[in-house]
Amino acid sequence: MYKIQILKSADKTLKNVVQKDRIKIVEHISQLADNPRPLGCKKLKGTEFYRIRIGDYRVIYKIEEDDILLILVIRIGHRKGIYK
């Protein structure tokens, strides 16, 4: 089972999301603890990051598999501006 850590900047963005969407995003992030590469996730080209889609929002994260199993959530945002 992986431990999930969310960067402060991603957490700040998450707090500004509408509550209905925020609940869905938190559910999907918590499911990453059991399966860090769920169906539909994609590895971003040229980086070590992965991306999952939740409606119009995207969660970008990194999987650390050294001594501790850790998922580091880097960014959360709307699909229009997440990759810029």
Side-chain angles (χ1 to χ4, degrees):
M1 185 138 179
Y2 287 77
K3 180 181 174 185
I4 298 175
Q5 183 177 359
I6 301 176
L7 292 181
K8 286 183 182 181
S9 59
D11 190 41
K12 184 177 177 182
T13 305
L14 183 60
K15 288 180 181 176
N16 293 329
V17 174
V18 179
Q19 184 178 3
K20 178 182 81 169
D21 293 329
R22 186 180 329 130
I23 292 170
K24 289 180 186 178
I25 292 169
V26 170
E27 287 175 1
H28 279 80
I29 290 173
S30 64
Q31 291 174 1
L32 291 174
D34 294 328
N35 182 9
R37 294 176 190 88
L39 186 63
C41 86
K42 288 194 175 184
K43 185 161 184 350
L44 299 178
K45 290 182 180 179
T47 68
E48 56 199 327
F49 302 127
Y50 289 85
R51 177 274 284 158
I52 56 172
R53 295 174 25 179
I54 302 113
D56 286 339
Y57 290 90
R58 306 294 184 259
V59 175
I60 297 176
Y61 62 98
K62 179 180 177 183
I63 302 172
E64 305 267 341
E65 298 188 63
D66 296 335
D67 297 335
I68 45 172
L69 301 176
L70 176 69
I71 294 175
L72 182 62
V73 176
I74 307 294
R75 293 182 71 189
I76 299 171
H78 194 273
R79 65 185 178 95
K80 287 193 282 186
I82 191 73
Y83 303 110
K84 294 179 182 177

